[in-house]
Each structure stands twice: as C-alpha cells, then as structure tokens.
Amino acid sequence: MLRTALRNVLAHKARLVMTVLAVCLGVAFVSGTLVFADSSAAAYRAAASQNFAGIAVTVTAKEPPPGAAANQRTSVLDDALARKLADVPGVAAVRPSVDGSATLNAADGTPMRADKAWAHLAAAYVPGADGKDSRYPLVKGHAPTSGDELAVDSGTAAAGHLRIGGTVTLATDGPVMTKRLVGIVTTKDSRVTAGGTLALFDKATAQRLFATPGHYTGIDLSATPGTNQVELSNRVTAMLPADRAEATSGSAQATQQATNVDMQTRGYKKLPLVFAGVSLFIGSFLVVNTFTMLITRRTREIALLRAIGASRRQVVRSVLWEALLVGLAASAAGFVVGLGIASVLPDILGTSADPLPRGPLVIGPRSIVAALGVGVGVTVLAAWLPSRRAAKVAPVEAMRSAEQPSSVARSRIRAVAGLVLLVVGAGLLISLTGAKDASEKNLNSAMLGCAVLVTAMIVLAPLLAAPVIRLIGRLTGRFGITGRLAQENALRDPRRTAATASALMISTALVAGLAVLGNSTGQALDHQAAAGLGADYVIGTRTPTVAIDPAAVQRVADTPGVRTATAVADSTVVIGGSVQGISGVEPGTVKDVMKLELTSGSLADLGPGRIAVSSTIAREHGVSAGGRINVGMGRSQDFKKYTVVAVYKDNPIADDVLGSRTEVQQNSFKPGSVQRILVRTDSGGSVSKTTEHRLRTAVGDNPLLKVQDRKALVREAAGGMGDLLTLMYGLLAIGVVIASLGIVNTLAMSVAERTREIGVLRAIGMDRAGIRRMIRLEAITVAAFGTLLGLAGGLFSAWAVGSLANGAMEQYSLALPWGTLLLVCLLSLAIGAVAAAVPARRAAALSPLEAVAEA
C-alpha cells in the first residue's frame, strides 16, 4: 500500500501541487515567525551582552523605605563608596554612572519617538584616565563638558536631523531645556538600537538632573582576568550597606535588558502567527477538497483494490500515506519559504524610526518541529475524512459507477448538525446584544459564537449551494447557454462547490466583520470627540508624572488666534471606596471648551466644597443636584461632605467628577499643577499647522507635551485601529491566494473529469471562446457563492459583537463601509475569473474527436 500511495502521488503530482502550495503558505508563516522570534531574541541578547561587555558587577541603590527623603535613594552612591569598591579583590576598574530619561525634539521641533518613552535614555559622559568614556565612543565632535552642552548617539542624530553646533530642545521631567550639540557617539545599548534615543550630559549636569550633586545612580565594576562574576558580586555585596545598596552581575543585567526589550517588541511577532493560523485553517479545506476529488476519480481503482483483498484499513492507510508524503513536501517547501520570510520581517515590520534587530537566522528545534507538525498534521487530518469515505464504498457498488451520489441519510445528518450549530452560534451572539459590556467574559463568548457560526456555515454550505447558486444563475443566465451550463456544472456536486467556496467564505467573513467593526468604531470615536469637546486643540502631557507649567497657560492664551485657553487640573478622588478621576475647571470658561449636557443643576455654582458628577456616578451613588456626597480628595484623602451642584451625561473629555480648578490644584499630588490646556481658536473649528506651531512654541516646544486637534485625539483613541486594518487586509490577501489555488485545483480536475462532455459540446458547435466563457462563469459562480455566505456571516457577527463596543462607547452604532464591502465583492469575482484562466484554456484546447473518444 505504501508503493501504491507513492505511485498515486507521482501520478497526480500536478493536481497536488495546489494543495502543497496552500499548506506551504501556512507552514511558511509559522516557521518564519518562530525563526524570526528566535533570531530577534538572539540579536537582543547579543546586543545586550555587547552593551554590558566589560561590566562584571553593577552596584545600585535600593528603594528607600516609605516616608524617607527623596534624596536618600542615591545618597549612598558617592565617590567614597567608589574608592572602597576599587579596593575589593578582583575589581580592575570602577566607573560611576548617572542614568535617567530625556525626551528630545527633532530639528523641526516635533518630539522624537514619542511612543517609546521606555527607550528615551539619558546618561552622564564619564571620561576615564584617557579622557574618553569607553561605553560611549565618540565618532564626531567632543564630549559635553558644561551644563549647556549635549551629545547624542548617531541613530538619534540621523533620525532627528541633528547637527554638531546646532541646538537641541529636550526635557527630562519638567520644563524644556535647550542645549548645544557638541558630540555624536555610538552605543550598543539594545534599547537605543531598538528605536530609542540617547542624550549624554556632563557628569555634574546629569547628577543634578537624575540624582543629587556628588552622587550617582550606579557604579559599574570591571573584573580582573580570571575573576568569576558571581564570586565578585558576592564580595561586593558583603561590603555594601545591606539596606541601602545591592550588587548585580553584568550577565544578569544583560539578560534582564534583553528580556525587557523583547517584551516591548513582542507585538511584532503576533501578527504573522495570526496569518499562519488563518492560512492553515483555510488551506485545510483545499486539502479536503483535493483528496475528495482524487478519491472520486479513483473510485474504480479503490474498488479493484478492495476486490483483490485490500481491507478498509489498508485503503485508509494508503490515502493517509499520500497525505503524509504531500505534507512532508509542503513542510519542507514551507520551511524554506519561512526562512525567507524570517529574513525580511525586520524590514517589513520595522521602520527607520522604529528598527528591529538584525542578526544571523537562528534555526531552533521548535521551528523545525513546528513546520513538520503543522504541515504534516494539517494535511493528514484534512485527508482523514476523504479516506474514511473511500474505505466505506463497497467493491461491487464502486465497480458499477464512477460517481456515487451522496446518501439522503448523510444529507439529513448534515442538515441537522448544521442547523444545531447555527442556532447555538447565532443564539450565543444574539444573547450578547443586550449585554453592552466589553468584559473579557463577553469577548470570549463573542469569539466562541463567531467560531460556532462559521462552523455552521461550513456544514450547511453544500445544502445552501443549490438555492444560492440558482439565485446567482439569474445573472449568469444572461450569457445564454454558456451561463446556464456554468450554473449546472456548479450544482453538479454541491459538496465540492461548497468546499471550494469555503476558503473565500471564511476570508470574506473575517474581512467583512473586521471592516464593519473598524469603520463603526472609527466613526464612534470621531463622534465621541466631537460630542464632548468644544475646544479646537488639547495640550496634554505624554506621561502622568509630568505637569504643565502654569505660566504656559497665559502664554497660550496670548497666542495670536486663540480665543479661549482654559487650564484643567486632573487628579483623583475617592467616592464610596472607589477611586474616580476629577477635573478641576474654571466655571466661567468650561462651557466654551467642553460640550457638557447637563441633566440637572448648573456648573456656574462650582467652587470650594461644591462639585458636579457624571450620570454614572450619580446613578451608582444615588445622588442628584442639590444632594451631598462623602468625598476624599487629593493626597490627604480627608473625607468631607461635598454638595453636588450639577449632573452631566458621561463625557470623554471630562472626568467622572468636576470641581473648581483652585480646589483641585490645592489638593492634588502636585499642588498647583496643570495637566491639560483646552484651547478654542478664532477659526471656528478649523485647524492649521501654523496655529499648532504657535501653540507648541507657547509651551516652549516641550517634547513631554502634545498638542492635538480633534483628529489627532481620535487617532490616539483608536489605538490599534491601524493594526486592525493591517490584519484585515492581510487576512484578505491570504484568503485570495488560497481561494485562487482552490478554484484552480477544482476546475482543473473538473475539466479532466468532463473531457468527454466538453468534446461533445465542441462537436455540436460550441467554439473555444464559448468553452472558456463557460469555465470562467462557473468559477465566478463559485466565488460569488462563497462571497455571499461570507458577507452574511461577517455582517451578522459584526452586528452582534458591536453591541459590546456600544457598552464602552455610547456613540457606537453600526456603520457599513460600503466602499470596502464593494471592493471585497469585486475582488472575489475577479479571483474567480483569474483562477479560471488556465483550466479554461486547457478545456478549450481539447480536440473534439479525441475528447469524445476518451473512455
């Protein structure tokens, strides 16, 4: 039976090549992503090791106990301790360090890599006896020697278009500073090479910014040759004050830094795995369809094997051996393609401003095992059902007819199973429409419901083929006899048609559902911003620890074109045991910058001891305008009764509680601080780059602050919407490729099966163009069938899942992206037409006499 399986594979290699390609695509994504992940991790480890090369031990201060003075953290790390450490046996050299964080502006005044706050590094340039800092080799200019000088790494200089002798604006945790760029260095720090920035100050300036004068944030020790890092770390630990400082080996630091960077960039590795899962799932239908058609064509052969003594188990094994050989070929090809994918993924997923590490490809055992397991496993499992069907055919029945119609009993079982799954899936999704709660439990239920619904559509597809294709036939029938023949050919084997259309159905459902959710969410965010914001610009902070200089409020108000500039102080309050956000506003100007819809009371009455609350807070705590509520405000958390002067509908711009700005500032964790400035301009809502530039100038071009108009706020709120669109179009591309392979495969086998029939059509007068048209219309019919089912499933799922988004965004409503949906439909029909090109040409090339004479 093994020889029989090998012979069958070689005999049908041309027909199996499409199956190999489909499985190869999924294997390539899986193995390529795993190799990319292993290679990236190795590159990060190598970079971290290079960064900590020569550092055997680092001494850092421990966190001070609660209530200790702020400067106690670094007070132990001073020159005296450095001299003591130099005398420890095994220590070759001592290098004090002062590290912190700084955000830089590019030459055009825009913040550099604002989304990578974790990689905005700052440090002191600490020269050794030779006047150079070995950790930061200079490549241009000279090291910073005074408070007004700065050095940056070469990547930061290139990305920000910074030049030696020019000025650089930056900020650490407060007001903006201006320094003169005097040097450019190189660094092996993996955080910087992963897309971060590096700013170097002279030692005194760095100590003033990130520690205290005369003190450091760390002390690096290098070891004498032959000294073990762990042993040296133990020696150093023994002479340190146990409650104030600790020692960490250089290898441990390198491992931790590589792990941290890898975690920050882990999202890059998820997207290819999603594509891999979808491509394998869709490709499995192509495997099932291919083996089903091959077995149907070889029914007589299988019957003969049964007649001469082959058992059902041997027939099953023969087919599974074929699948195993095909799976091995697909796995091998997919693994090779996956290596190519792994090598280009850093260029595809990374950018010049956000690079990914490059290094030699690391081919680990898990990548090889995954490629074999996925490729062989999917192929063998998909071929198992056709093999069982082949084994159940009795020898006499198989010898009597080459094609056995599907039994009525089997169709009834399929119908019952499909309807049960449909009711369960649709019922689960419909039950969520009243939830309006995007909790993890409801999201998991929605995913389960969508999976069950898709499974139901796959099971019912053969039964739906006849009515849907007859409906489509009203259009193809306009092409005359070729259109009617195309319809009948598609209906000849509904199971085959359904299996061929399933790939396109699944990809269409995914794309349609994601497109609807993405478009609806985007419009909801837009409406949300428009509904709650009366201001044209919002000036805010990039991190919650940063505050806006109160003097900047007046500068913004004095900016030409600004009509109103209102400062907002954000803090927290405790109500009923839960922490809520509070916005401190000016009662006289809040109506100009916030669109608050009051249900009762008046904001004009805001003041000390008087607050306004959102509808949600009022409902949860049973208060209304004129009532009193117990509130703990600010850092003291002293509870007292506050009078509720107004209740307003929930607003994304306002917090859950509104108070007077003066009172909130007095009780905030940073007294007198301002977190936002809401700006109304004279332009009546229109925005311009000139106004935005003026506002940036008014706040000192501080890179820790962001100036956003309404569109920018919507983009920020959308968050991963760009990733969603990337995913949507990627899934569509995968579906297009696999669906095309499936249609080509099905039509090629169908043409081979209908050779005599096509010969008869040619003999009675149908020309070659008519044959080609018939095959193309058949392919378009199959593609249209899959597209219609996919659209129905995708739109229904998006409608049901959308109710969960409605709970998170009151303005959410179903908004169909008609342009995208129309594009998907046209693309699906085009797939059918293009995929039919080769089979149609082969059918038209058949000689009428030879085709009729074929047995």
Side-chain angles (χ1 to χ4, degrees):
M1 299 305 293
L2 177 58
R3 289 196 297 270
T4 301
L6 182 59
R7 179 185 61 80
N8 286 327
V9 170
L10 295 176
H12 303 99
K13 54 183 178 294
R15 295 170 187 173
L16 289 171
V17 68
M18 300 299 177
T19 302
V20 172
L21 288 175
V23 179
C24 171
L25 185 62
V27 172
F29 276 117
V30 171
S31 59
T33 303
L34 293 178
V35 171
F36 167 65
D38 292 341
S39 303
S40 297
Y44 284 133
R45 286 194 299 269
S49 297
Q50 291 178 351
N51 184 41
F52 286 95
I55 299 178
V57 177
T58 295
V59 176
T60 55
K62 289 185 176 180
E63 289 290 341
N71 62 357
Q72 183 175 329
R73 173 176 169 80
T74 58
S75 61
V76 67
L77 304 181
D78 55 14
D79 290 319
L81 179 62
R83 288 191 294 269
K84 289 181 181 179
L85 292 173
D87 295 332
V88 174
V91 173
V94 175
R95 180 191 179 278
S97 62
V98 187
D99 300 319
S101 176
T103 306
L104 285 70
N105 276 338
D108 60 0
T110 59
M112 292 186 61
R113 299 167 183 175
D115 59 331
K116 286 199 170 185
W118 58 273
H120 290 167
L121 307 185
Y125 187 92
V126 183
D130 58 355
K132 299 178 180 179
D133 189 336
S134 59
R135 192 167 186 181
Y136 304 113
L138 275 165
V139 295
K140 192 174 182 180
H142 63 84
T145 56
S146 62
D148 63 343
E149 294 182 341
L150 182 76
V152 300
D153 70 287
S154 55
T156 300
H161 304 289
L162 306 176
R163 299 289 182 268
I164 295 288
T167 58
V168 180
T169 56
L170 70 155
T172 53
D173 62 353
V176 68
M177 299 178 287
T178 301
K179 306 288 184 183
R180 184 166 56 90
L181 185 63
V182 297
I184 296 177
V185 303
T186 59
T187 179
K188 296 177 181 178
D189 195 308
S190 56
R191 294 168 294 179
V192 179
T193 57
T197 59
L198 173 66
L200 295 177
F201 303 88
D202 68 284
K203 185 170 70 172
T205 302
Q207 287 177 328
R208 178 174 53 82
L209 291 174
F210 308 121
T212 53
H215 296 87
Y216 308 99
T217 60
I219 300 177
D220 298 327
L221 310 177
S222 60
T224 57
T227 302
N228 182 274
Q229 286 192 3
V230 176
E231 292 179 359
L232 181 59
S233 179
N234 293 334
R235 291 190 207 123
V236 170
T237 300
M239 58 84 58
L240 292 174
D243 60 335
R244 299 182 63 188
E246 59 186 349
T248 308
S249 67
S251 58
Q253 294 180 80
T255 301
Q256 183 61 47
Q257 186 178 105
T259 301
N260 292 339
V261 175
D262 186 58
M263 289 179 62
Q264 293 289 345
T265 57
R266 187 166 292 174
Y268 293 111
K269 303 163 190 174
K270 294 180 180 179
L271 202 60
L273 283 177
V274 173
F275 291 159
V278 172
S279 61
L280 286 169
F281 181 64
I282 298 176
S284 64
F285 291 95
L286 179 54
V287 178
V288 171
N289 209 22
T290 301
F291 276 93
T292 299
M293 289 186 292
L294 286 174
I295 288 170
T296 300
R297 292 211 68 197
R298 288 159 41 202
T299 304
R300 288 181 181 273
E301 176 188 327
I302 294 172
L304 180 60
L305 290 173
R306 292 293 314 283
I308 63 176
S311 65
R312 289 187 176 184
R313 183 174 298 177
Q314 286 178 310
V315 171
V316 171
R317 281 205 300 262
S318 175
V319 176
L320 293 183
W321 271 114
E322 289 183 50
L324 177 63
L325 294 173
V326 171
L328 287 173
S331 298
F335 189 76
V336 173
V337 176
L339 295 180
I341 291 176
S343 64
V344 300
L345 274 179
D347 295 326
I348 295 175
L349 299 178
T351 63
S352 59
D354 196 12
L356 290 178
R358 300 197 64 90
L361 293 181
V362 176
I363 304 175
R366 71 165 184 165
S367 304
I368 300 174
V369 171
L372 289 173
V374 167
V376 174
V378 168
T379 310
V380 171
L381 285 176
W384 182 74
L385 284 176
S387 70
R388 297 276 297 176
R389 191 176 300 126
K392 289 180 180 179
V393 177
V396 174
E397 293 177 357
M399 293 294 289
R400 184 182 303 123
S401 174
E403 286 190 48
Q404 298 297 321
S406 179
S407 67
V408 176
R410 186 178 298 164
S411 297
R412 287 176 179 171
I413 293 174
R414 178 185 288 271
V416 172
L419 288 174
V420 169
L421 290 172
L422 183 65
V423 170
V424 172
L428 190 58
L429 289 174
I430 291 174
S431 68
L432 295 173
T433 56
K436 294 187 176 182
D437 177 16
S439 64
E440 183 178 356
K441 178 181 177 181
N442 285 338
L443 288 174
N444 290 335
S445 298
M447 293 175 63
L448 177 61
C450 291
V452 174
L453 183 63
V454 169
T455 305
M457 293 172 62
I458 293 170
V459 174
L460 291 174
L463 305 179
L464 296 173
V468 175
I469 288 177
R470 287 195 178 96
L471 178 64
I472 298 171
R474 295 185 179 181
L475 297 176
T476 58
R478 297 178 180 274
F479 291 89
I481 187 63
T482 56
R484 289 194 293 274
L485 287 173
Q487 176 186 336
E488 293 302 321
N489 289 335
L491 289 172
R492 181 176 298 182
D493 190 341
R495 285 188 304 176
R496 178 187 300 181
T497 299
T500 305
S502 291
L504 201 55
M505 177 187 71
I506 296 169
S507 60
T508 302
L510 287 170
V511 171
L514 290 175
V516 172
L517 288 174
N519 187 65
S520 302
T521 303
Q523 291 196 18
L525 290 171
D526 197 10
H527 294 158
Q528 194 176 62
L533 182 64
D536 301 315
Y537 292 92
V538 175
I539 302 174
T541 61
R542 298 189 183 278
T543 59
T545 59
V546 176
I548 301 176
D549 181 7
V553 180
Q554 188 59 47
R555 295 198 299 270
V556 170
D558 295 337
T559 300
V562 172
R563 187 172 72 187
T564 304
T566 298
V568 178
D570 293 320
S571 187
T572 58
V573 294
V574 178
I575 302 178
S578 61
V579 179
Q580 307 291 344
I582 183 171
S583 296
V585 297
E586 293 288 349
T589 59
V590 65
K591 63 180 182 298
D592 292 333
V593 292
M594 292 185 184
K595 294 182 180 179
L596 294 172
E597 187 175 346
L598 299 180
T599 59
S600 60
S602 171
L603 294 178
D605 298 327
L606 284 175
R610 300 188 298 274
I611 60 174
V613 298
S614 66
S615 298
T616 298
I617 296 296
R619 182 175 61 255
E620 290 177 352
H621 298 279
V623 296
S624 58
R628 292 174 65 80
I629 188 171
N630 206 29
V631 177
M633 182 179 292
R635 61 189 188 282
S636 64
Q637 297 296 316
D638 292 332
F639 283 85
K640 66 178 184 178
K641 290 289 186 179
Y642 276 77
T643 301
V644 176
V645 299
V647 177
Y648 55 91
K649 287 188 175 181
D650 291 23
N651 189 296
I653 304 303
D655 279 325
D656 294 317
V657 182
L658 288 178
S660 69
R661 179 162 66 91
T662 303
E663 184 176 21
V664 172
Q665 285 180 317
Q666 289 174 350
N667 292 278
S668 68
F669 293 93
K670 287 188 175 182
S673 64
V674 172
Q675 280 68 44
R676 287 181 291 166
I677 305 176
L678 306 183
V679 181
R680 187 80 177 268
T681 64
D682 295 328
S683 59
S686 61
V687 297
S688 67
K689 289 294 183 182
T690 301
T691 303
E692 182 178 340
H693 177 71
R694 289 174 177 170
L695 293 176
R696 288 188 183 278
T697 302
V699 294
D701 285 326
N702 194 326
L704 298 177
L705 304 182
K706 50 188 177 181
V707 179
Q708 298 172 294
D709 57 23
R710 294 186 188 183
K711 289 184 177 179
L713 288 170
V714 170
R715 286 195 300 270
E716 183 179 69
M721 196 65 66
D723 293 337
L724 180 64
L725 293 176
T726 301
L727 177 64
M728 180 184 75
Y729 291 118
L731 294 176
L732 178 60
I734 290 174
V736 164
V737 172
I738 298 180
S740 300
L741 296 176
I743 293 173
V744 171
N745 219 17
T746 301
L747 289 178
M749 292 189 179
S750 179
V751 167
E753 291 175 358
R754 289 152 37 198
T755 300
R756 178 176 293 184
E757 175 187 320
I758 293 172
V760 171
L761 291 175
R762 292 281 284 117
I764 63 177
M766 182 175 285
D767 58 7
R768 294 178 185 270
I771 296 293
R772 287 195 295 269
R773 189 181 307 116
M774 178 185 70
I775 301 297
R776 288 197 186 99
L777 289 175
E778 181 181 348
I780 291 173
T781 299
V782 173
F785 170 58
T787 302
L788 287 176
L789 288 188
L791 285 175
L795 294 179
F796 177 79
S797 300
W799 168 74
V801 175
S803 63
L804 303 182
N806 183 256
M809 292 180 289
E810 187 177 348
Q811 289 82 2
Y812 183 93
S813 62
L814 195 69
L816 299 181
W818 294 108
T820 301
L821 296 178
L822 178 61
L823 179 62
V824 169
C825 293
L826 293 177
L827 184 58
S828 299
L829 297 180
I831 291 169
V834 173
V838 174
R841 189 180 303 114
R842 290 183 59 187
L846 289 175
S847 170
L849 294 178
E850 293 178 359
V852 172
E854 184 175 291

